[in-house]
Amino acid sequence: STTEKPVVLNNITDAETFISGAEVAVIGFFQESESPEASRFRLAAGRIPEVPFGLSTSAAVLSHYGVAANIVRLFRRVDNDQRDLDVNSKDVDADKITHFIRMNELRMVTEYNPVTAIGVMQSSLRFNLLLIADKMSPKHPERMRRYRAAAELFKGKILFILVDSNLKSNERLVSFFKLKKSQLPALAIFYTPDEEQDVLTLDEVSVERVQDFCNRFLQ
């Protein structure tokens, strides 16, 4: 590809612009760009084309972000949080780096699966909103567009999640909210500290309906 991956970040401005330009961004902070740790990082970067990867060996950049060398940090916009992985050990290979990113790459709308479930549980956001719907439905793209627009309104407050009702691995989640397939699509909101929840079955997802449902629950 023409764009080099990871992007080399030589100064603080480059790094800040790089982070602010994505829902999820990953930067590897290294002492030397040709070290074994950096090579493993590059290998992982090649496996996850949809996530932007940056690499910096600048002392000013490392100091600005308060990191030591050989740290991979994931920055995410949804809860304004970051996650670190120490890659100094030989045990931390490209597979481990890839898994770390897949687990923590929460987005404005995160698709639920066994890997992202871990990141969802570790998020600092206590309110989770689930859209439980059939991804194969012809209505899905438009539904997602509206759901994503609603997610922007609750950034930093509620974690928006998509649960594909077709997946066998999601059946337990659907039954947890006492929903049947015939009642889908549905919205389910959940407050993690005390497991308080509410459910709304709906034919159409609109920004207004999602907003109203969330505001009622938050109040």
Side-chain angles (χ1 to χ4, degrees):
S1 74
T2 49
T3 54
E4 193 190 329
K5 194 167 180 180
V7 178
V8 178
L9 306 167
N10 292 315
N11 55 56
I12 294 164
T13 309
D14 284 356
E16 285 178 340
T17 307
F18 177 79
I19 293 161
S20 65
E23 283 185 24
V24 174
V26 176
I27 299 181
F29 298 97
F30 298 101
Q31 213 136 24
E32 290 162 21
S33 62
E34 298 310 317
S35 63
E37 294 85 1
S39 316
R40 296 195 279 271
F41 178 69
R42 283 196 180 85
L43 203 56
R47 294 178 186 176
I48 310 179
E50 71 281 16
V51 174
F53 279 66
L55 185 151
S56 188
T57 54
S58 149
V61 173
L62 269 71
S63 158
H64 178 76
Y65 288 102
V67 291
N70 303 334
I71 290 285
V72 171
R73 178 170 288 177
L74 179 142
F75 299 83
R76 58 190 189 210
R77 191 188 298 167
V78 62
D79 53 1
N80 207 7
D81 209 347
Q82 44 205 35
R83 291 282 186 266
D84 286 1
L85 177 67
D86 184 337
V87 291
N88 269 309
S89 147
K90 281 196 181 68
D91 298 343
V92 183
D93 56 7
D95 287 344
K96 286 210 172 129
I97 297 171
T98 305
H99 183 75
F100 164 77
I101 291 156
R102 286 293 185 216
M103 186 174 83
N104 289 295
E105 58 164 333
L106 303 183
R107 299 171 175 274
M108 295 312 289
V109 175
T110 300
E111 187 165 345
Y112 189 87
N113 62 45
V115 179
T116 58
I118 303 164
V120 165
M121 292 187 193
Q122 291 174 348
S123 167
S124 57
L125 298 184
R126 301 295 185 82
F127 291 94
N128 293 344
L129 179 72
L130 287 65
L131 169 61
I132 305 170
D134 176 0
K135 264 182 87 177
M136 292 290 130
S137 161
K139 293 181 176 176
H140 183 72
E142 180 55 25
R143 206 179 266 155
M144 280 306 288
R145 193 186 65 71
R146 293 173 184 172
Y147 190 56
R148 201 167 263 122
E152 291 284 349
L153 304 172
F154 294 95
K155 188 172 74 189
K157 281 189 194 155
I158 299 176
L159 197 57
F160 275 57
I161 297 161
L162 169 70
V163 177
D164 184 2
S165 56
N166 282 317
L167 293 184
K168 198 140 186 62
S169 58
N170 288 336
E171 281 175 4
R172 274 180 55 204
L173 197 59
V174 177
S175 63
F176 174 79
F177 291 105
K178 300 180 177 57
L179 286 162
K180 297 185 188 71
K181 271 216 158 166
S182 58
Q183 295 173 289
L184 303 176
L187 292 173
I189 197 163
F190 186 78
Y191 181 58
T192 48
D194 63 4
E195 299 200 352
E196 194 185 332
Q197 53 175 276
D198 196 7
V199 173
L200 174 70
T201 60
L202 70 179
D203 302 324
E204 280 305 316
V205 173
S206 72
V207 177
E208 295 72 30
R209 288 195 78 177
V210 174
Q211 194 176 3
D212 184 47
F213 181 61
C214 291
N215 282 334
R216 276 208 318 268
F217 191 78
L218 288 173
Q219 279 160 15

